Amino acid sequence: MKKEIPTGHAMEKLCLLFSITTFLALIPSHLQVSGQYTPPTDHPGFQVLASASHYWPLDAVDGIYGLWDAIGNRTGHVNGSSINIVEGMVNRGIYLNGDAGATFLHFGSYENSCISDPALCGPQGVTFSFFWKNLESLSRFAMASGGKVISNGFSIYSNGFADYVEFYTRGDSRTWRAKITPPGPHWTHILFTWTLTDGLKVYVNGTFSTNDTQGRKSQNYGDPYHNLIIGADNDQSYGHYVTGAFDEFVIWERALNPEEIELYYKAAIGEPVIIPTTAFVQNPTSSPVDLMLSTDAYHRIITNLTVEIQHFQYPVSMLGYLESVSIKLPNKTIPKETASNLTETFLKSVEEVLLLPSWPDLAESAPIISGLIETVDKVMVHMVYNLEPSPSFISIEGSSTVADYSLVKLPLSMNMPHYRFPSQGRNYISVPGKAFSFNAQTTIVGLFYHTMHNYYKKIDPLKTKIKEAANYKENKISATSYIISLKVEPPPALSVNLSGTPLITIVLTHVLSLEQYSLASNSSNTVFLYCAFLDYSSGFGVWSNEGCVRAEGNLTFSTCLCNHLTNFAILMQVVPLELSNANQVALSTISYIGCTISIFCLAITIVTFAILSSVSTIRNQRYHIHANLSFAILMAQILLLISFRFDSGTLPCKIMAILLHFFFLSAFAWMLVEGLHLYSMVIKVFGSEESKHIYYYGIGWGSPLVICIVSVTSALNSYGEVGNCWLSLENGAIWAFVAPALFVIVVNIGILIAVTRIISRISADNYKVHGDASAVKLTAKAVAVLLPILGISWIFGVLAVNERSLLFQYMFATFNSLQGFFIFLFHCLLNSEVRAAFKHKTKVWSLTSSSIRNINVKPSNSDIMNGNRPDGSPTKINTWDKSTNSANRIALSAV
């Protein structure tokens, strides 16, 4: 199973520690060494050590680094040179620096043995043991991944997402996996056993931690290497090494029992024990109270928590320390006051973790938060179970910045109609009274977390157990309520069927950010709300909705029914509207054809205006505005078609997005200028021609440039990053286009209404005076002519917002892709002034051509009598000639 680890926060990622079946690299520097073995003492734990199959002390003799097997005579060696002998837990240990020298420890090949293939161990199983320390000042771990492909064996690996011990048996294709806690800056003893009948068991510092008794079917069979390695991954990629200290590596080719494990650990740390008459056999009549620590044990934990938590700088290492505290809690009756103090101190330590400045991004933070929640649950359950017994109701309640909490211990004789946590407020869990078993003492732990939900914002649907969410794998999931937890022992008797009774009722109000509310309230999106919980059955928290159903609710709250208790929250998944493939193809085809036609027509329009610019009727401001609008739309549509060829996230795509933003804004700015100019001509005349000219160019090209500069400098990463070469829809950058565009549309609609009213009034007056019925047609024609240059058709884009507005989407694609065509049609081809100017220009060209032919021909008397001048122009000039005499001279000089 290949685990991908992000490159950031390397100090928080612990790489692969051991792999029986893997060997990463052979570095030329091999140091063959020997060592010395200390014979067993009278401590019974050393008798356990003497029964081992292999024992590597990992100490130093005469300044030479030693990997001598003191029992099994299997000498190991060091690959690399960057190691140091450090103070070990027992005597001396080896510190491996994975960053310098790529060092790891190689203990030889164990092919066809119990060590490399657990299936060969027989019913007695196998045990592995070592001490491990991670000094923060030295812990810059290389990334690592499992890399186990086709083999049997085991591996220990740890990273920011999960920390595991895994065993593999190929014969029946099974994998056993159990979660471990990576060490902090203190020596930690890790021991694990495996048998075919009992599965995998993990012990930390001599105490049982976790297990996997059943295993599971798996296609992951380990890797093809049979070497025993400490400090490296085994895919032979020469890139994954660990930085850390190790001591006392021991293998037993049998599974130790818990008493042997405790005895060996106490012997290793120098803690004396009372030797029983029969070694390694626990007295079956002994009470758990006989093994309890002193009353001061909890006070020492409280003191150590307060002191030690200040030494950590990174969330992962602090989580590891808190997990080790939860594991080491003594099975000692705890007074109510002490339990209250420990609860406050532990939650204060969790608060310190959350306040660290070195948190990774949300994707990496979620597993750490899940680990914190699980650890808090374990500590609270431990305390309420060990509360000193009382014939009456015992309750510890309080609040911290992390969570509101309630620890309750009920007497045997107490009956309740129901239990609710918290007792007040709009968020709660309710357990019906008939679900409780009052034949045993009941303990209840309730936690209402205040900020934990903020770390679950971009959950990958494929990394959850929510089947419905996996159908929309491209759409991330986010927590949209507080996280609430309730644990009851013994577990309440609940209906297996979610349609039966009794069931747990969970009511949670939604806590939506502005972005979440905007997405959820958008009618074009489909919103899925899931009643979910953190499932730790796989060794780490995975969101699941198995055994839960959302019974009622709306966008502000949800009511859930569940047949189990754990940590609950409401998860939200927003799925945008997706058109069918046929509609997508149709809309794309319309857009491509429309843009192509518009580009061709706009090019003709611009060339026509340029050619006719010498004619006085075309030289006015109105046609200057038309030409600038046509140029802006032409450039925008050309760039739009080109942008489809670039992949998002690339530099060309980013540049294209910036240019598209500028030219589309410019198109809207010139549409606004069209509206303002129309207003000044029809409704209210203001400013001189020259002053308006300056204002118009400032609005048309200056304002889009300012908006683009501000947008690019403040949100450059929002251009061309997601899906296409355009502005991002996720972080609000799209409003740098939408807001100006909406403003222009609203202003131009107002101007169009005002102008239409005036035209209608004039038309009505003409109808009364002259009886001309074509006045209404004139009004309709005026509106049709003004629509393309005012950009009113963009209103269809606002209306095309949900799946019921497919018609508006087709209208938007059609009218806006053909905007250039309509400008050419109404303001060039069918425009009477343009056609008259073109005829005049044609006449000038004709006269010019005739003059050139006859310039050297002497005029006859008849020509002079008929009024024909030698230059070919008539002596009698008509009205058009008078009005355009200067234009003619300019045209002739141009030719």
Side-chain angles (χ1 to χ4, degrees), residues 433-461:
K434 61 182 179 180
F436 287 102
S437 173
F438 296 104
N439 296 325
Q441 192 167 48
T442 302
T443 60
I444 305 174
V445 174
L447 289 157
F448 181 74
Y449 295 97
H450 298 157
T451 59
M452 297 296 195
H453 64 284
N454 292 325
Y455 294 87
Y456 296 99
K457 292 300 182 186
K458 293 184 179 180
I459 307 169
D460 187 347

Side-chain angles (χ1 to χ4, degrees), residues 174-187:
R174 296 193 70 80
T175 297
W176 285 261
R177 182 170 65 177
K179 183 177 180 181
I180 63 171
T181 301
H186 309 285
W187 282 107

Side-chain angles (χ1 to χ4, degrees), residues 291-307:
L291 302 176
M292 290 179 184
L293 301 176
S294 66
T295 306
D296 294 334
Y298 286 109
H299 295 290
R300 288 199 301 269
I301 291 173
I302 295 173
T303 302
N304 290 338
L305 266 174
T306 306
V307 174

